[in-house]
Amino acid sequence: EVQLQASGGGSVQAGGSLRLSCALSGAAFDGYDVYAIGWFRQAPGKEPEGISCTSGVDGSSTLVDSVKGRFTATSDGAKTKVWLLMNRLKPEDTGVYYCSENCNPYGTRGQGTLVTVSS
């Protein structure tokens, strides 16, 4: 059974940085068992917004335009974690961040982690 768990959230001031971790268990992040892992964020009362999608095949990542140049998504060598490094955070980055299987916002996912950016 695929399980994903996000962690690393917190409260920071605008311009600060956080690194989120998505831990995968129960399956291999190899492009077969788990094809890809995506990061999403959800602000109160809003639909989930896709932030990144990391391939289990080659580890490459795509990012939504609003975070390009500030966020980086990478997987570790063992392919058991996907990191989301967030720099130059803005108040509009506030939300619950979660990771999901196959970059599906409504797919298998664990509890999210709250990121609060104050101005």
Side-chain angles (χ1 to χ4, degrees):
E1 178 186 4
V2 175
Q3 292 187 327
L4 295 165
Q5 183 62 54
S7 62
S11 297
V12 296
Q13 291 192 326
S17 299
L18 284 172
R19 187 177 73 164
L20 306 184
S21 171
C22 173
L24 169 69
S25 61
F29 185 38
D30 58 3
Y32 294 96
D33 286 356
V34 176
Y35 180 76
I37 292 176
W39 280 100
F40 297 84
R41 69 183 173 204
Q42 188 164 19
K46 294 189 176 181
E47 293 294 313
E49 176 188 12
I51 302 300
S52 68
C53 186
T54 299
S55 169
V57 176
D58 61 8
S60 62
S61 295
T62 58
L63 296 163
V64 69
D65 285 347
S66 62
V67 305
K68 284 180 180 177
R70 300 188 299 122
F71 291 12
T72 304
T74 58
S75 60
D76 66 345
K79 287 192 169 183
T80 59
K81 289 186 178 179
V82 175
W83 307 96
L84 184 66
L85 175 60
M86 307 186 295
N87 294 319
R88 303 202 309 274
L89 283 160
K90 303 176 180 180
E92 52 262 44
D93 294 319
T94 294
V96 174
Y97 285 69
Y98 64 91
C99 50
S100 184
E101 183 182 6
N102 295 332
C103 303
N104 178 351
Y106 303 105
T108 299
R109 68 185 205 189
Q111 287 187 336
T113 186
L114 178 62
V115 172
T116 303
V117 185
S118 57
S119 58

